[in-house]
Amino acid sequence: MRHIDLPLSNCRLNKVGCAGVISVIKSEPVAFGGKQGGTAKHSLVPIWDEGCFFLFYKEGLILIKVTLKDGTVREAEQGIMILDFVKAFSNSLAKKVLSAKVDGKIMDLTTKIEKDCKMQFLTLEDADGLWTLRHTASHILAQAVKRLYKDYNVQLAIGPAIDNGFYYDFDINKQLTDEDLKKIEKEMEKIVKENSKLERSEVSREAALKMFEEKGEKYKVELINDLPKDEKITLYTQGDFVDLCAGPHVLSTGKVKALKLQSIAGAYWRGSEKNKMLQRIYGTAFGKKEDLDAYLTMMEEAAKRDHRKLGKELDLFSLHEEGPGFPFFHPKGMVIRNELINYWREVHREFGYQEISTPMILNRKLWEQSGHWDHYKENMYFTKIDDEDYAIKPMNCPGGMIVYKTQQHSYRDLPLRMGELGLVHRHELSGALHGLMRVRNFTQDDAHIFMMPSQIEEEIQKVIDLFDRVYKTFGLEYHAELSTRPENSMGEDDIWENATNALQNALDNRGLKYIINEGDGAFYGPKIDFHLKDSIGRTWQCGTIQLDMLLPEKFDLTYVGEDGKKHRPVMIHRVVYGSIERFIGILIENYAGAFPTWLAPVQIEILPITEKHTDYAYALKNKMFALGLRVEVDDRNEKVGYKIRESQMKKVPYTLVVGDKEMEVNEASVRKYGEKDSINMNVDLFIKEVQEKISKKI
Ligand SMILES: [Zn+2]
Ligand SMILES: [Zn+2]
């Protein structure tokens, strides 16, 4: 921050005839917020003249430095509104910007900036920009419901933006229907057209309580009462509607150019079954109609691929109320699971990993030592053995630490890579459970790597290579996200810097696409997340490489260095699939259930045309089975056309029809999944082709 106090000799004020105003000549424009003349404290006049920028002011002007995302630094008047700051760049940019990230926090464009800061403009291209837009859409939804259902005692609960959209929870004396959704959507469109400004105001706790009590909004009253004593209470007003909200929002309702209400669901107040069931309306919003249309088309496609639906149709897995969130794998699902595990073992063996297995139930003392007891308890399950407290592991790490400590390690052993397919249990709220995507027990394809600090970069590169190999096998594109040091982190500055640089260098060296999430790392180390893109354009976060400087400390891990002294290793936790259960869910949707041959639960289905071809069909099956292929015969007394259609429904990669002609010459009529025509092939050549596909993992 700096004051400008220029001698009056620099003054050009006579030229504009503005008494008491002096000018500053700068080579770059300065953003300004005041008006010409008037009584504003900093009365500013910008004038471009001969490539110079003149700034006139009455009193001492304070400039602050704003560092933009690309690293350039711009000066601005202290107290400038973000919107005016953006306008100083260009008006067309100002139209696009929805909100701004200031020192990591998303802010309204009407926020005034008072000190030097880092700023990123958020547009529709940014997830955070879209988030602001969608959050505003949730207010529009609440406003519309309030307007339409005056006679139904509408009380508002909460209305956040979520991935891909937003929702609002209502307590309302009416069962909402799809008809209502249409009506509400129309009213929302009206509110968008009204283009009301969203005005933020700070109020005292008393004033806020009084206001919401008068309105009869008991949920808002409860929310206010639960806020910490020193928390600022803010309201957002748009036209005739006010909501309790911390923001941020877009400037006006008119920015929400395209919206769609999608569904109604029941949701307990605060997610607890002890509370009242409210009605939740889900919707989505975009800044452009085309984006909404593209999204809706994708959602239709996604619904067709829903892994819960396909999982049932293909008989892969099931979920039961006897174990909510605990999936049951059926024989066919187990085939996929085992293929994934076999492949995992094959790749990890090649990359120099060893495999361990650690117990699922471990003593409380261990969880206290690891910090889980204090920081992760609400996600854990517990049990007692011989009157002592035990916990069911939510993570594999503490077990891995114990295994490391069973031996004295030398620097020559490092990096030491210990993989573990560990079944972990985590408590998730029942409302959050979703097929295989969100479960309460899952198998992490974990590994802990222990190394010297000097080995970080090279080792991370090896992990990236391994991830690349695995994701490419499934035809999944990906990008990485690097999360750097947060505030309140542990550890020395230079260790953090080295570690973060090592991660970044590794990404650069591999030429990977990545984005940086400043300050988003864990307090014990930076991390890289891998986001996979599926065949319909959705992204899924799967792999993680997490550097950890804390656990080696907590468990007093050491290795003997070249100097004969004990040193502290650095460790990483990493998963490639993430959760095997969830990865199967992603694959089902990615392939729409039509698995590549190497993964398909049934690879070949043989259909005898009549009973007299059945023996030949079984002879073929036995031959293929002996070679390790997954093959079935459909010898039901049905028409072959019908059986072919069923085989296609089951998405079997190869359907073989055998009749007289085929029997005579050791052939089969081969039809590949999704193709209309079949071709006659020599059985041995066919087997060879299938084996080759499997060995290439296609
Ligand atoms: Zn809000
Ligand atoms: Zn771990």
Side-chain angles (χ1 to χ4, degrees):
M1 214 183 272
R2 73 184 166 93
H3 288 261
I4 302 180
D5 266 323
L6 290 182
L8 275 172
S9 59
N10 271 358
C11 175
R12 296 267 197 110
L13 69 105
N14 292 337
K15 280 195 174 175
V16 289
C18 208
V21 178
I22 55 169
S23 72
V24 183
I25 300 175
K26 291 188 58 68
S27 56
E28 266 187 54
V30 173
F32 66 96
K35 292 191 191 82
Q36 180 176 357
T39 52
K41 190 181 171 211
H42 305 125
S43 295
L44 301 170
V45 183
I47 293 178
W48 279 97
D49 186 16
E50 296 154 15
C52 291
F53 186 72
F54 302 95
L55 193 64
F56 301 87
Y57 68 107
K58 275 182 186 163
E59 295 170 37
L61 172 71
I62 300 175
L63 290 183
I64 54 170
K65 284 198 170 71
V66 179
T67 308
L68 298 173
K69 203 188 165 201
D70 64 2
T72 55
V73 179
R74 293 290 184 111
E75 290 194 310
E77 178 200 359
Q78 186 186 35
I80 189 172
M81 234 206 288
I82 296 175
L83 181 64
D84 289 329
F85 179 74
V86 186
K87 279 182 180 163
F89 284 84
S90 88
N91 273 324
S92 62
L93 179 66
K95 278 190 192 128
K96 274 198 245 162
V97 176
L98 297 170
S99 54
K101 210 179 225 177
V102 180
D103 289 335
K105 218 178 143 203
I106 311 169
M107 304 275 205
D108 293 324
L109 291 182
T110 50
T111 309
K112 289 179 174 160
I113 42 174
E114 303 290 347
K115 57 182 175 60
D116 293 357
C117 61
K118 280 188 193 161
M119 191 185 293
Q120 183 191 346
F121 303 141
L122 301 172
T123 67
L124 287 176
E125 313 298 320
D126 306 285
D128 288 333
L130 212 47
W131 187 93
T132 327
L133 185 93
R134 287 170 176 165
H135 180 58
T136 306
S138 87
H139 282 228
I140 297 174
L141 166 60
Q143 184 177 14
V145 171
K146 275 284 195 188
R147 274 188 190 176
L148 292 173
Y149 301 95
K150 282 201 177 70
D151 302 333
Y152 296 91
N153 188 28
V154 180
Q155 296 191 47
L156 305 176
I158 54 161
I162 50 172
D163 283 350
N164 300 321
F166 62 90
Y167 68 78
Y168 214 112
D169 286 350
F170 301 95
D171 187 348
I172 173 170
N173 291 340
K174 178 185 196 304
Q175 182 57 52
L176 294 169
T177 62
D178 285 348
E179 282 309 302
D180 289 305
L181 283 193
K182 278 184 206 142
K183 231 166 84 183
I184 299 168
E185 209 175 272
K186 275 227 167 73
E187 190 63 32
M188 289 176 75
E189 277 156 10
K190 238 161 88 187
I191 296 168
V192 169
K193 281 215 182 77
E194 288 164 18
N195 198 20
S196 314
K197 278 206 171 92
L198 280 107
E199 295 187 74
R200 178 181 187 271
S201 52
E202 263 177 48
V203 290
S204 68
R205 180 176 292 256
E206 294 70 36
L209 281 173
K210 187 163 172 270
M211 187 183 116
F212 286 107
E213 270 161 14
E214 276 169 12
K215 285 174 180 283
E217 297 280 4
K218 67 173 183 200
Y219 299 100
K220 299 289 173 187
V221 170
E222 193 178 323
L223 289 172
I224 297 169
N225 282 327
D226 281 359
L227 287 174
K229 280 275 169 294
D230 52 348
E231 183 98 357
K232 268 189 202 160
I233 296 182
T234 54
L235 305 177
Y236 278 83
T237 307
Q238 66 202 50
D240 55 10
F241 176 75
V242 191
D243 203 352
L244 171 77
C245 179
H249 286 284
V250 294
L251 284 175
S252 65
T253 59
K255 296 268 177 194
V256 186
K257 297 261 188 275
L259 57 86
K260 175 94 194 147
L261 294 184
Q262 293 161 299
S263 59
I264 309 163
Y268 292 108
W269 167 237
R270 304 203 136 166
S272 164
E273 288 143 53
K274 290 180 203 124
N275 293 332
K276 185 166 181 185
M277 171 86 85
L278 307 174
Q279 295 186 68
R280 173 172 296 176
I281 299 182
Y282 283 102
T284 191
F286 289 85
K288 280 188 259 167
K289 175 93 172 52
E290 306 93 272
D291 292 352
L292 174 66
D293 291 344
Y295 174 75
L296 293 176
T297 311
M298 190 192 80
M299 288 305 290
E300 263 171 47
E301 187 53 42
K304 279 186 224 153
R305 294 163 177 250
D306 190 321
H307 75 284
R308 293 166 300 178
K309 179 176 150 270
L310 287 172
K312 201 169 181 180
E313 285 169 15
L314 302 174
D315 195 16
L316 303 177
F317 69 93
S318 58
L319 283 148
H320 302 272
E321 60 186 29
E322 288 82 351
F326 302 121
F328 288 65
F329 278 86
H330 300 191
K332 286 184 173 143
M334 220 39 213
V335 168
I336 298 171
R337 196 183 162 113
N338 284 335
E339 283 298 343
L340 290 178
I341 289 173
N342 292 343
Y343 175 55
W344 187 90
R345 290 204 164 109
E346 183 187 311
V347 174
H348 283 73
R349 181 173 166 269
E350 188 188 321
F351 277 78
Y353 285 72
Q354 305 173 65
E355 190 176 341
I356 59 168
S357 174
T358 66
M360 219 178 293
I361 301 178
L362 290 162
N363 193 284
R364 168 179 180 155
K365 285 189 204 96
L366 179 74
W367 302 107
E368 283 172 347
Q369 190 182 1
S370 67
H372 289 88
W373 195 268
D374 288 333
H375 301 293
Y376 205 71
K377 218 171 161 189
E378 66 274 22
N379 295 92
M380 290 164 68
Y381 298 109
F382 303 93
T383 187
K384 267 195 197 301
I385 300 175
D386 296 338
D387 277 336
E388 274 198 64
D389 288 331
Y390 281 76
I392 299 166
K393 69 176 175 183
M395 295 181 197
N396 304 303
C397 330
M401 302 302 109
I402 291 180
V403 174
Y404 181 88
K405 288 192 77 159
T406 55
Q407 272 184 44
Q408 178 69 261
H409 296 281
S410 144
Y411 68 96
R412 283 189 216 94
D413 308 335
L414 306 182
L416 185 66
R417 309 177 187 97
M418 294 208 284
E420 172 168 19
L421 295 163
L423 181 63
V424 298
H425 287 69
R426 293 182 189 174
H427 182 67
E428 295 279 354
L429 293 176
S430 58
L433 299 175
H434 180 84
L436 294 178
M437 302 298 190
R438 187 72 80 88
V439 290
R440 284 176 171 157
N441 75 346
F442 57 94
T443 309
Q444 276 188 314
D445 62 317
D446 219 341
H448 294 110
I449 304 176
F450 305 89
M451 61 200 164
M452 296 188 273
S454 61
Q455 294 172 317
I456 297 176
E457 189 174 322
E458 202 189 326
E459 190 55 28
I460 298 282
Q461 278 183 23
K462 288 208 174 101
V463 179
I464 292 174
D465 290 346
L466 187 154
F467 282 25
D468 186 70
R469 166 87 70 84
V470 172
Y471 297 150
K472 282 208 174 117
T473 298
F474 299 97
L476 295 163
E477 277 178 42
Y478 62 92
H479 79 268
E481 297 191 5
L482 171 65
S483 297
T484 61
R485 186 178 194 176
E487 283 174 34
N488 304 325
S489 50
M490 63 148 308
E492 306 294 324
D493 288 353
D494 58 331
I495 298 186
W496 266 93
E497 208 186 305
N498 287 342
T500 311
N501 286 343
L503 261 57
Q504 196 162 357
N505 289 342
L507 287 167
D508 287 335
N509 287 343
R510 286 300 179 260
L512 276 194
K513 272 195 282 184
Y514 68 96
I515 56 173
I516 297 180
N517 297 324
E518 291 291 350
D520 249 6
F523 73 96
Y524 50 84
K527 63 167 180 168
I528 304 174
D529 291 323
F530 289 76
H531 297 252
L532 311 185
K533 191 169 173 184
D534 73 11
S535 54
I536 56 171
R538 294 173 299 177
T539 53
W540 305 89
Q541 199 244 299
C542 288
T544 302
I545 306 174
Q546 169 77 62
L547 215 89
D548 192 336
M549 305 184 242
L550 181 66
L551 273 194
E553 207 59 55
K554 284 199 161 176
F555 282 86
D556 191 26
L557 304 188
T558 57
Y559 67 90
V560 177
E562 224 169 332
D563 56 4
K565 290 185 189 135
K566 282 187 175 176
H567 297 271
R568 186 77 74 215
V570 178
M571 65 169 286
I572 52 182
H573 315 253
R574 39 111 294 177
V575 286
V576 198
Y577 295 143
S579 138
I580 292 181
E581 289 75 1
R582 181 167 169 271
F583 198 73
I584 291 173
I586 294 169
L587 289 183
I588 295 173
E589 299 200 1
N590 180 59
Y591 295 126
F595 287 94
T597 308
W598 75 281
L599 277 177
V602 177
Q603 295 163 322
I604 301 152
E605 181 142 41
I606 307 174
L607 316 178
I609 291 175
T610 66
E611 217 172 288
K612 66 176 170 153
H613 310 113
T614 306
D615 286 347
Y616 178 61
Y618 277 102
L620 289 186
K621 180 194 164 173
N622 292 341
K623 183 173 187 172
M624 294 177 191
F625 182 83
L627 292 167
L629 301 178
R630 297 187 287 269
V631 49
E632 282 181 358
V633 174
D634 182 354
D635 59 3
R636 288 175 304 162
N637 190 14
E638 299 280 359
K639 288 220 170 67
V640 79
Y642 174 80
K643 290 201 276 191
I644 290 176
R645 273 195 303 282
E646 280 218 330
S647 177
Q648 295 284 302
M649 295 272 286
K650 287 187 274 181
K651 306 187 189 235
V652 177
Y654 295 96
T655 305
L656 269 48
V657 176
V658 290
D660 286 340
K661 205 174 95 197
E662 286 78 19
M663 258 169 73
E664 266 167 40
V665 288
N666 192 33
E667 280 188 357
S669 167
V670 179
R671 184 180 178 132
K672 287 183 191 158
Y673 174 74
E675 288 182 10
K676 278 209 180 84
D677 301 320
S678 35
I679 43 163
N680 269 55
M681 276 183 88
N682 172 283
V683 170
D684 297 314
L685 285 179
F686 167 75
I687 293 174
K688 222 176 138 203
E689 184 187 307
V690 176
Q691 283 176 324
E692 214 170 285
K693 270 198 158 181
I694 293 169
S695 72
K696 286 186 187 153
K697 305 249 180 310
I698 47 179

